[in-house]
Amino acid sequence: MKLKLMAACALAVLACAAPAAAQPKPTAADAKAFVTNAEAQLDKVNAFANRAQWVRANFITEDTQWLEAKANAEQNELVTRLATEAAKFNGVATDPVTARKLKLLKLYLVSPAPNRPGAAEELAGLVTKLDSTYSSGKFPYKGKPITLNDAEAVMAESRDPAELKAVWEGWHGTAKVMKGDYARFAALSNEGAVGLGFKDTGALWRSNYDMDPDAFAAETDRLWTQVEPFYKNLHCYVRARLNEKYGDAVQPKTGPIRADLLGNMWAQTWGKIYDVVQPKTVSSSYNLDKLLQDNGYDPVKIVKTGEGFYSSLGYAPLPQTFWERSLIVRPKDREVVCHASAWDLDDKNDIRIKMCTKVDGEDFRTVHHELGHNYYQRAYQAQPTLFRNGANDGFHEAIGDFAALSASTPTYLNQIGLLQTVPGADEDIPFLLKMALDKIAFLPFGLMVDRWRWEVFAGEVKPEQYNDAWWALRLKYQGLVPPGPRPADAFDPGAKYHVAGNTPYTRYFLAHIYQFQFHRAACAQAGWKGPLHRCSVYGQKAVGEKFEKMMALGQSQPWPQTLAVFSGETRTDASAVAEYFKPLDAWLKVQNKGQQCGW
Ligand code: X8Z
Ligand code: ZN
């Protein structure tokens, strides 16, 4: 009995006060040995968990959910135990690499489990179930059940407000079954975060940016202030055009925009309604959706084209196994997680993507986005386990978007034979408007998703307030309202993948700023003298080489130093966003004359 207690104490150092006096003080060498051993254990548990996750995401069944939850629980238990044990080196003067690894160990899990029997299993079970429920969500429409993909196509293409409202409400209704599980999941995740010394799960997430968590929150406020005026100009312009199209009864001239009119289920990108809001005086001579379709592109050809862009920067081709093992098209015969993702199964060369690719401009860009994750994973492969990650998670999301900024230019589309004639400067405004409908419209959404979760994890928003708090933030940041009153049992946050799938979201807000910083730095390196939005670094091997140097560093040092390696800058800075969109902002201000902007 006594022995058993001792063993339990050794595993849970923090919970046991008594044995401390008897133990010799750990040394720096002990700390180094500890992290080396921890990394070996992580490699082992991850190899199994990665496979289980891949299989569940590609074949959602009762059994694969069971297997994934078991693997994730084991991974979670191991990491939580290691992170707890790491505390015994607090105050030990370790070398800087070991010190960083000890810190990263505590930040490794998105949702650590409470350190008590059964908790990791319960948490992992909820995480798998929420993600699977979202991914297999369907609702009846015109007499048959439709998937999110079908619903998204209606949101993008329909211009009938009644139809948009019905489909929007149908999809959002699928999330209400998740509310109870989400509340339980949040409580467990918080208990785990507190066990590791964080205030709550939100504080854990905010601690992963090489600065104090409160300073990071303030940093996101600062960045939002930099871009908010531009978002408001875009909102104002788009609202006026929607009002012209749909009339006062559907979209009033003043106040917020109806969330189902913007071409996207979450109103996070608005590019699909370019036809509704396009400039009246000058039109765009091409439509990327149409170019891809007319030129016989299929999903695999889009991925090959994406690979071609990265090859032009000097990167080695994707391995043969990428093509054999990736999921590129939605299978008809089974449930899968269609939300796009990029995987590294073995930290060697087994990289893959998994997405239900459509042949359109949106997925042309998403393919570049996903491949960016894969090229990053490959670049930092030689780093030790705990450094095999993005400099921060915003970097990971920005790599592929940076590539897509060049790959979206008419110059590039012409170089790869998609576009016959490169339009002149007279088409700058249509081009920039299309880009802003995706990149600028996204910014407040990129911010508000985690503002909501930060409030939930901090206990400021209780389960009965989940939906109202969500819409308060949707209104505050995005200036949006739902198409009609929401039912009392609605759980609209759960209708967004990253909430159901427990993926932090501030990373995308950051990425929407970093990608323009990378782009500006890359164009300067390439000697580009023209406007930023017309620059493409396709084929610029020297740029690729320098970018690779940054990527290869992974998470081995604080991100500001890593940013400096490529761009010479040490801060996140939206001035590159402003520079890229400057001509459009000026144009929007003229269009908005006489309007009462804001909401
Ligand atoms: O989730 C993604 C990627 C996978 S990491 C497709 N994105 C966010 C979203 O879809 O909500 C990319 C941009 C924002
Ligand atoms: Zn991504």
Side-chain angles (χ1 to χ4, degrees), residues 17-204:
Q23 309 264 322
K25 196 175 167 356
T27 63
D30 292 339
K32 195 169 174 188
F34 171 82
V35 292
T36 307
N37 180 269
E39 289 186 304
Q41 293 188 63
L42 280 176
D43 286 347
K44 211 168 153 199
V45 84
N46 288 347
F48 190 84
N50 287 347
R51 251 76 179 186
Q53 288 164 10
W54 175 266
V55 172
R56 197 275 308 177
N58 279 272
F59 308 85
I60 304 176
T61 68
E62 267 312 299
D63 304 319
T64 58
Q65 291 186 63
W66 188 91
L67 290 165
E68 178 189 73
K70 183 168 156 58
N72 283 352
E74 281 166 14
Q75 183 197 44
N76 203 314
E77 261 174 3
L78 172 73
V79 181
T80 306
R81 180 164 58 76
L82 292 171
T84 310
E85 280 179 19
K88 73 178 173 225
F89 302 106
N90 287 349
V92 176
T94 59
D95 63 277
V97 167
T98 302
R100 186 163 177 82
K101 287 182 178 174
L102 287 168
K103 188 183 100 162
L104 292 177
L105 202 46
K106 274 177 55 170
L107 299 166
Y108 196 79
L109 293 172
V110 173
S111 284
N115 192 357
R116 55 181 166 77
E121 284 80 5
E122 188 186 357
L123 179 70
L126 288 167
V127 167
T128 296
K129 184 179 168 201
L130 284 163
D131 190 271
S132 303
T133 304
Y134 179 97
S135 301
S136 32
K138 279 176 209 65
F139 64 95
Y141 188 63
K142 292 188 175 161
K144 63 172 195 173
I146 68 166
T147 65
L148 175 58
N149 281 158
D150 304 330
E152 284 186 271
V154 178
M155 298 310 298
E157 286 153 28
S158 171
R159 300 293 176 253
D160 170 358
E163 181 171 49
L164 289 167
K165 180 170 187 276
V167 171
W168 188 98
E169 287 177 343
W171 174 250
H172 283 76
T174 64
K176 62 182 180 222
V177 295
M178 293 183 223
K179 184 173 157 184
D181 283 344
Y182 191 83
R184 177 72 186 145
F185 147 79
L188 284 172
S189 175
N190 268 342
E191 197 188 327
V194 169
L196 292 183
F198 298 97
K199 226 166 64 202
D200 57 61
T201 303
L204 161 61

Side-chain angles (χ1 to χ4, degrees), residues 282 410 423-434 531 533-534 583-584:
V282 35
D426 52 321
E427 278 192 38
D428 277 2
I429 293 300
F431 173 79
L432 283 170
L433 181 58
K434 283 186 208 173
H533 64 272
R534 276 204 258 150
L584 181 74

